Amino acid sequence: MPFLGQDWRSPGWRWVKTEDGWKRCEPFSPALEDGNNQLNDLSHTVIITGDDENEEMYNTEDCEFAAKKRKKDHFRNNTDSQCFYREKWIYVHKESTKERHGYCTLGEAFNRLDFSSAIQDIRRFNYVVKLLQLIAKSQLTSLSGAAQKNYFNILDKIVQKVMEDQYNPRLIKDLLQDLSSTLCILIRGVGKSVLVGNINIWICRLETILLWQQQLKNLQMNKQVNNGLTLSDLPLHMLNNILYRFSDGWDIITLGQVTPTLYMLSEDRQLWKKLCQYHFAEKQFCRHLILSEKGHIDWKLMYFALQKYYPIKEQYGDTLHFCRHCSILFWKDTGHPCTASDPNTCLMPVSPQHFIDLFKF
């Protein structure tokens, strides 16, 4: 027998519809409380309507229903008297219990973890983009209507941020390319109901993605006018140290195109050897060994060859964390209401792929 009624252990919550979906909120304004009290008084009045011949009196139950509806409308109209549920954590549960009914969904996680604000943080930007890319590749068909809306709202904000700040456009181009390829394949199979929603909506979304791709293709990087110290003025050992800090081969190649000096440093065999050793194991080297014309190992070609067969290590400034004691997913700097004696021993960083696995049922 499914659970249909209100949980008697909970006072219930009020929800308000926003651009990012439904958010839980609580009234805090005394004026709103006074208004609610006045509306409560209406439930005890007797309402008489109609003509003298057909006079109808509503019973107490009808009055209470009408009063609740007026309270609901009054609350929606008082948008200035609302505060949203700001806790950026979510309890991850995969089973229904007496205390919790239903399951934790991907769309709910998008809303509660506030990915819309996370993309404004440069430490979390790459993490959220990688997460959206993984969803585009494998989980697009499992998104509910609310999750789809949240997904594309966040994607829209990411594209606008890149267009304004010109931050990491290559990463967004890869995301849009994977998303458009997946949509082209799935739309052809719409007769099999592989996507949730109307086919016309998905076609419009695909057209929007193609428009974003064209905008990013035409994006012109603004030249910084600065009369002070530039990258070219740094000594060679500092430039070399900067290159050794990169964990992505494409970033090294891009930086090497800035000046002839950086190009020379970016072609260093030792640099690419360190990069290969960081991402891959020695056993993997032996399986895909590439030699140059002089008989030396071509570490640069080795890196891109190994990248096709094995996943590379991911680095993020900030990631989501999972508390094994509380089963709560949260951003580390926001914290969560942990009941463990030593919370730090229960924390586990969550990669984008691990995040996807948490919501697979």
Side-chain angles (χ1 to χ4, degrees), residues 106-334:
L106 188 61
E108 184 182 359
F110 266 48
N111 191 21
R112 289 291 299 273
L113 295 173
D114 199 8
F115 285 107
S116 296
S117 300
I119 61 175
Q120 304 301 327
D121 190 335
I122 193 172
R123 300 171 303 164
R124 302 174 180 174
F125 183 84
N126 291 0
Y127 184 90
V128 177
V129 172
K130 181 63 176 181
L131 178 59
L132 296 185
Q133 189 174 14
L134 290 176
I135 293 175
K137 290 181 177 180
S138 61
Q139 297 297 309
L140 206 58
T141 56
S142 64
L143 293 181
S144 64
Q148 291 174 16
K149 185 176 181 180
N150 287 337
Y151 182 94
F152 283 95
N153 281 341
I154 295 171
L155 184 58
D156 181 32
K157 293 179 180 180
I158 289 176
V159 174
Q160 298 307 320
K161 178 179 175 59
V162 173
M163 296 297 296
E164 294 173 2
D165 301 342
Q166 302 176 347
Y167 177 75
N168 208 344
R170 179 174 58 83
L171 190 64
I172 313 305
K173 290 179 182 179
D174 293 341
L175 166 60
L176 294 179
Q177 180 61 39
D178 291 337
L179 183 57
S180 61
S181 300
T182 303
L183 278 182
C184 288
I185 296 173
L186 294 178
I187 287 177
R188 296 171 187 169
V190 70
K192 301 178 182 179
S193 300
V194 293
L195 288 172
V196 177
N198 189 284
I199 179 62
N200 296 324
I201 295 177
W202 284 103
I203 292 177
C204 290
R205 287 171 175 168
L206 180 58
E207 291 176 351
T208 303
I209 293 171
L210 297 177
L211 177 61
W212 286 339
Q213 288 180 310
Q214 187 63 37
Q215 290 176 348
L216 291 173
K217 183 179 180 181
N218 299 331
L219 179 63
Q220 298 292 331
M221 306 299 289
N222 296 330
K223 294 183 178 181
Q224 299 292 334
V225 180
N226 190 354
N227 297 326
L229 188 67
T230 63
L231 188 65
S232 302
D233 298 326
L234 296 176
L236 288 178
H237 72 277
M238 294 186 66
L239 293 175
N240 198 45
N241 192 21
I242 292 174
L243 285 169
Y244 271 84
R245 300 286 180 176
F246 285 106
S247 61
D248 191 330
W250 285 110
D251 290 336
I252 296 176
I253 292 177
T254 302
L255 185 60
Q257 296 174 350
V258 176
T259 63
T261 302
L262 287 171
Y263 175 77
M264 177 191 66
L265 295 175
S266 67
E267 293 295 318
D268 182 24
R269 291 182 63 254
Q270 191 66 22
L271 171 65
W272 291 98
K273 179 180 179 180
K274 291 289 185 182
L275 192 63
C276 289
Q277 291 176 341
Y278 172 76
H279 287 289
F280 310 106
E282 292 186 4
K283 294 181 179 180
Q284 297 169 342
F285 296 161
C286 300
R287 297 174 184 173
H288 305 277
L289 196 62
I290 301 177
L291 300 178
S292 63
E293 297 178 355
K294 297 181 180 180
H296 301 295
I297 298 177
D298 194 330
W299 292 104
K300 182 178 179 180
L301 292 180
M302 282 275 291
Y303 169 80
F304 290 104
L306 292 171
Q307 193 180 31
K308 297 179 181 179
Y309 298 99
Y310 309 103
I312 63 175
K313 291 183 180 179
E314 299 176 353
Q315 282 188 338
Y316 303 102
D318 190 14
T319 65
L320 288 170
H321 281 69
F322 182 74
C323 179
R324 292 186 293 266
H325 178 78
C326 306
S327 297
I328 287 179
L329 190 65
F330 64 100
W331 294 105
K332 190 174 182 180
D333 59 350
T334 59

Side-chain angles (χ1 to χ4, degrees), residues 71-84:
K71 284 174 62 178
K72 186 176 181 181
D73 295 338
H74 179 79
F75 181 78
R76 286 178 175 176
N77 294 330
N78 286 270
T79 55
D80 295 335
S81 303
Q82 299 172 358
C83 64
F84 295 118

